[in-house]
Amino acid sequence: MPLNTLESLTVDATRLANELDQLATHSSTPAPSVTRVLFTQTDLAGREYVRSLMADAGLEVIEDPAGNIFGRWVGSEPSAPRVGSGSHCDAIPHAGKFDGTVGVLGGIAAVRALRDAGYEPRRSIDIIMFTSEEPTRFGIGCSGSRLMGGAMAPAEVAVLTDEDGISFDEARKTAGYDGDLADVVLADDDYAYFVELHVEQGPELERRQLDIAVVSAIAAPASFKIRFEGKGGHAGTVLMPARKDALVPAAILIAKAEELARNSGSNDTVATVGMVDVHPSAVNSIPREVTISFDVRDTDLATRERIVDALIDEAKSLAEARGLGFKLDMINSDPPIAAAPEIKQAIEESCDAAGLSRCELVSRAYHDALFMARKVPTGMIFVPSKDGISHRPDEYTSPEENARGVDVLARTLAKLAC
Ligand code: GLV
Ligand code: MN
Ligand code: MN
């Protein structure tokens, strides 16, 4: 179908904004915060809403054993490798309503806009809602896309366990997702291309007053947990020379992470300790066991590895010097990816056709695209985030900004699927 039919392409910004609002009502914390954790009641209600939007857009709804949801627009050549787009609808505790959701509901809106413009795809187009991009419940992000991209073995995902001791396998089955997790893994020719629309989650587009970013690469994320095991005791009676406090080395290590990231020589290094678990956590009790989580990222893999290694070495030395037990739990250590040139070009041409301004940006957040890229040429489209804020209730992208992203996504899908 000639792409000049897209001259009449229009995106209904108000409808998409209303749908994002409606999805945000499925939250386990009060508005404006959104919390939607994998396979909880709110996640299941959100999934139901997404399926209804897909069906309403005329998409065939398919679900895999991991709970990834696909809305398929069957093309005129159904056996040709498909074009995929999508993102996630789970939300970390006290998040906002745009992270991930814009890529899923925006993908469905792109299909509606293309249909209304009279476009008919040759390749089938799948709008995908990936299972748990966020690491909230099972400790590791992107379980759905990791499985699809072959970045984690089905048997490893199955035994991931939440804080109540429930495994991923039990949780997905309770949520109604049966079948063999091995069937989730993509074949090399399932998809020809994958493109994800997402909010930037950083300040650059707003600062430069531009509409769209064409993502050039996704930074490499790593996360791990370190546990110090000391000796507990009475906060009044155990004198300082006799102490084996497990929290003090953890505190030193947290400061070390900041120092290493600040002085890595790269602007792109970031290190975060977002969780500290202190046992027994009582004001008059010496901490006996402390677990801290690290999230370390850089666009340059070697720099990230250097910082991760230095932190682990430091943790071991602190434990040794203080006679404490030490345990390392490496959760993920992913390489960065570069966007596929042909997809970047399709996005750039789509921006130009839509009369929208653009730049290239690196994604410092990770996305399902990081794992789809293991199997499929992949690209990403960013729309602005107000004040660069994300993972907070006040995350905001305007209806018009989202609609511009959907416009570019629709044009890009049309190019890739024809
Ligand atoms: C995704 O939410 C990330 O932490 O980058
Ligand atoms: Mn997120
Ligand atoms: Mn996201």
Side-chain angles (χ1 to χ4, degrees), residues 11-13 16-17 20 97-99 101-103 106-107 109 197-200 211-212 356 381-385 396-409:
V11 176
D12 188 339
L16 175 58
L20 288 164
K97 63 169 92 143
F98 300 100
D99 174 5
T101 54
V102 168
L197 170 66
H198 204 282
V199 291
E200 183 200 333
D211 299 313
I212 299 288
L356 297 173
I381 300 165
F382 277 173
V383 288
S385 292
Y396 183 72
T397 302
S398 73
E400 297 70 30
E401 289 168 326
N402 283 325
R404 286 182 203 119
V406 172
D407 187 314
V408 172
L409 175 64

Side-chain angles (χ1 to χ4, degrees), residues 239-324:
L239 293 180
M240 298 314 281
R243 291 205 179 194
K244 288 193 190 302
D245 183 320
L247 185 55
V248 177
I252 296 170
L253 199 59
I254 294 171
K256 186 73 183 174
E258 186 189 52
E259 181 196 317
L260 286 168
R262 279 189 195 274
N263 302 315
S264 73
S266 150
N267 272 340
D268 290 335
T269 316
V270 284
T272 307
V273 174
M275 293 198 300
V276 178
D277 184 45
V278 181
H279 183 81
S281 197
V283 66
N284 55 354
S285 181
I286 299 163
R288 188 164 70 226
E289 269 179 25
V290 171
T291 306
I292 44 180
S293 68
F294 287 88
D295 177 309
V296 184
R297 311 184 192 199
D298 199 290
T299 46
D300 177 55
L301 184 60
T303 309
R304 197 226 34 218
E305 298 281 71
R306 187 163 54 74
I307 304 298
V308 168
D309 290 349
L311 275 168
I312 293 170
D313 286 349
E314 178 75 14
K316 282 183 189 154
S317 313
L318 282 163
E320 212 173 279
R322 290 162 177 264
L324 303 178

Side-chain angles (χ1 to χ4, degrees), residues 174-210:
T174 306
Y177 295 103
D178 284 315
D180 190 344
L181 281 182
D183 294 344
V184 176
V185 184
L186 293 180
D188 286 341
D189 61 353
D190 276 341
Y191 289 97
Y193 304 104
F194 178 77
V195 58
E196 177 168 356
L197 170 66
H198 204 282
V199 291
E200 183 200 333
Q201 306 181 278
E204 282 306 308
L205 280 172
E206 186 179 63
R207 192 177 65 78
R208 301 187 205 182
Q209 299 197 306
L210 296 172

